[in-house]
Amino acid sequence: MNSAFPHTPEAVAEALPEQTASPATLDKTGESKKHSNRDEIERLEEENRFLVTAYTVTTGALGASLFVPELFTKFAAYAAGTIGTRFVLKRAQKVISVLKHTKALDKAFAEQGVEIFTELPVPDHGSLDMLVKFPNPPKKAVFAIALRSQGKATIFYNEGKECFQFRRGTGMKTWTPDHIERLSIQGYWLRMNQSELFGTSRNDRNRPLVKVLCLTGDTKIGTHGDHLYTQVGDQRVLLIERKSSIFVLEEHQLEGFIQGWLTQSNKPKTPKTSMSGNQDN
């Protein structure tokens, strides 16, 4: 193997198609144009195709009879060994998850004018997987959604330690990073630095952010005390309240949760349902 090939995830990432998930784009006249969920979906689909091919090259499944020099050159970063392979697989799983839920929410809420922004980078704090905005009255709302998996594991919230933990087999481990803190930081940074994501009016830009930790794949929520649950529409979900609050649910609940929130947002506020998890900090 050529030692000039990159051997780190950072170097591998440089070979990915450039991600252009920005809150606002410009047309040929320099004027901003309406956000397109279709553009987000097409970008994710393009990267997914790239990663599938890259993984094929990395694992050696691409036979010599199918060898294409240009293809090999493009994906050379992935041919460095197991580090590249693991990175590609992990990235592919994330892209597939974001793509799946972007398509589902776009289809479910198209009539409400939903706008979905994906993979918004926040310096030193990763990327927000999905920012889902309902810009039209009477159901204006903004959701910050983190899609997370711990494989075949069960997630618990430890009230004493104020942290999420996961159980895989018999052991219990702390789940890092702190998803409540991270979502709070991401929401705050985006509001301060990309306020156009939230809308054009002062009210829109000050609109509370609904933070959601959505467990994907085989990762499930364990059983908790009744006081940690809340009802949003027909979905019973965890509501973890600290300095910042977060709703925790499984991916099959996401669409119903959002629909329930939009319905409840037009009703009088209740002590511990839709309004208590809104603050960015």
Side-chain angles (χ1 to χ4, degrees):
M1 190 62 64
N2 190 333
S3 60
F5 288 166
H7 283 65
T8 66
E10 291 77 10
V12 172
E14 292 180 359
L16 291 171
E18 182 179 358
Q19 296 182 19
T20 55
S22 58
T25 56
L26 301 178
D27 61 21
K28 292 181 180 180
T29 66
E31 297 294 328
S32 61
K33 62 181 181 180
K34 182 176 174 59
H35 176 76
S36 169
N37 295 340
R38 171 47 52 185
D39 287 347
E40 297 280 342
I41 291 170
E42 289 178 354
R43 179 187 65 80
L44 291 165
E45 288 177 335
E46 178 185 4
E47 184 176 353
N48 185 47
R49 289 191 295 269
F50 180 93
L51 289 165
V52 168
T53 307
Y55 187 73
T56 302
V57 172
T58 307
T59 56
L62 189 63
S65 61
L66 298 178
F67 179 77
V68 179
E70 293 82 2
L71 184 66
F72 182 81
T73 299
K74 187 174 183 180
F75 300 130
Y78 295 103
T82 57
I83 292 178
T85 304
R86 289 196 301 269
F87 176 82
V88 174
L89 183 58
K90 183 177 180 179
R91 177 62 189 161
Q93 291 170 336
K94 171 63 71 174
V95 170
I96 290 170
S97 181
V98 175
L99 178 59
K100 170 186 173 181
H101 290 289
T102 299
K103 285 183 172 180
L105 297 183
D106 179 57
K107 180 179 180 180
F109 299 106
E111 292 186 0
Q112 287 99 317
V114 65
E115 296 181 359
I116 305 172
F117 303 85
T118 62
E119 303 192 305
L120 298 168
V122 175
D124 301 320
H125 294 283
S127 296
L128 177 62
D129 293 325
M130 303 177 71
L131 186 107
V132 179
K133 181 171 69 174
F134 291 85
N136 302 324
K139 300 179 180 180
K140 290 188 175 185
V142 186
F143 299 83
I145 302 172
L147 303 173
R148 293 290 183 271
S149 175
Q150 268 292 342
K152 194 170 185 179
T154 305
I155 303 300
F156 299 89
Y157 183 71
N158 186 317
E159 293 181 80
K161 296 182 178 180
E162 294 190 334
C163 68
F164 288 110
Q165 297 179 317
F166 65 92
R167 175 181 293 158
R168 188 181 295 121
T170 57
M172 187 82 77
K173 296 182 179 180
T174 299
W175 193 7
T176 56
D178 184 328
H179 293 293
I180 297 178
E181 180 181 39
R182 171 158 286 196
L183 268 174
S184 177
I185 291 171
Q186 289 175 338
Y188 179 79
W189 189 92
L190 289 170
R191 194 185 295 280
M192 293 297 101
N193 294 275
Q194 295 187 16
S195 58
E196 65 273 18
L197 283 168
F198 296 83
T200 56
S201 72
R202 184 174 182 177
N203 286 340
D204 286 340
R205 295 187 178 191
N206 290 328
R207 192 172 309 284
L209 187 64
V210 186
K211 295 182 287 296
V212 180
L213 174 60
C214 178
L215 306 182
T216 64
D218 292 328
T219 307
K220 306 299 179 185
I221 300 173
T223 301
H224 293 73
D226 288 343
H227 64 286
L228 291 178
Y229 289 93
T230 189
Q231 193 77 22
V232 179
D234 60 0
Q235 301 299 319
R236 189 170 185 254
V237 301
L238 288 180
L239 173 54
I240 308 302
E241 298 181 291
R242 289 186 353 202
K243 184 178 179 181
S244 181
S245 299
I246 185 173
F247 294 92
V248 186
L249 47 82
E250 295 175 6
E251 61 181 336
H252 67 88
Q253 298 179 285
L254 182 59
E255 185 178 323
F257 171 84
I258 292 176
Q259 184 59 66
W261 183 282
L262 295 176
T263 301
Q264 289 184 189
S265 67
N266 289 325
K267 297 179 180 180
K269 298 180 182 180
T270 54
K272 190 180 180 182
T273 56
S274 61
M275 300 300 126
S276 53
N278 282 349
Q279 298 303 312
D280 287 346
N281 292 290

